[in-house]
Amino acid sequence: MPCTRNWILGTNDHNRNHIVTVAISGERTWFRVPDLWHFTSELPRTEISLDEFDLDTDVWFCGHEQPTLRAIGSHFHRLSAIDSIDPILLLEHPAVRPAVWGRGAVLDGFHRIVLAYARQQRFIPAKILNVLPTALALSLHEVNSLRTAGLIP
């Protein structure tokens, strides 16, 4: 399977530098993941079947990083730190090209999807956005600063 490029994680932690990008109608918009979680705090949780996800899509290495033992170990470290399955964050939008999720984009939660698969769960909790909060999008200046700092490609 080709590497999906609907989103790119900028860092491996869940602080203010946890960045996601999504392309809607070919236009990339960047967000800080904690801002999206705050925005979705009142959305209901739903259960999504793991069958809706293409688990053979490369979302971690994408030709930018070799799947070395160290790189895989880094992801395993994150997986082992997950105590419970918190909801994942999805975007269901007609202008988003589905990649891993058949109805849209995964904004946050790839490690939780892998953990649910490893635990042989049939469903995973999720919050689904139908619109992106453009007011929360990073400015061009912020995106360029993050690129200069090497946090995002």
Side-chain angles (χ1 to χ4, degrees), residues 5-18:
R5 301 302 293 169
N6 277 356
W7 52 91
I8 302 165
L9 291 180
T11 65
N12 289 328
D13 57 14
H14 286 274
N15 62 23
R16 292 287 298 160
N17 290 325
H18 187 172

Side-chain angles (χ1 to χ4, degrees), residues 57-118:
T57 301
D58 179 3
V59 297
W60 287 336
F61 303 108
C62 300
H64 301 289
E65 179 183 14
Q66 294 296 315
T68 64
L69 296 175
R70 183 181 313 277
I72 293 167
S74 172
H75 290 288
F76 180 78
H77 176 73
R78 288 192 61 191
L79 289 167
S80 64
I82 299 172
D83 289 328
S84 63
I85 301 283
D86 291 324
I88 61 174
L89 185 57
L90 304 171
L91 173 65
E92 186 173 27
H93 192 285
V96 172
R97 182 184 60 84
V100 175
W101 183 46
R103 294 190 274 159
V106 178
L107 298 176
D108 186 40
F110 288 116
H111 289 90
R112 281 165 274 161
I113 293 169
V114 170
L115 185 60
Y117 172 77

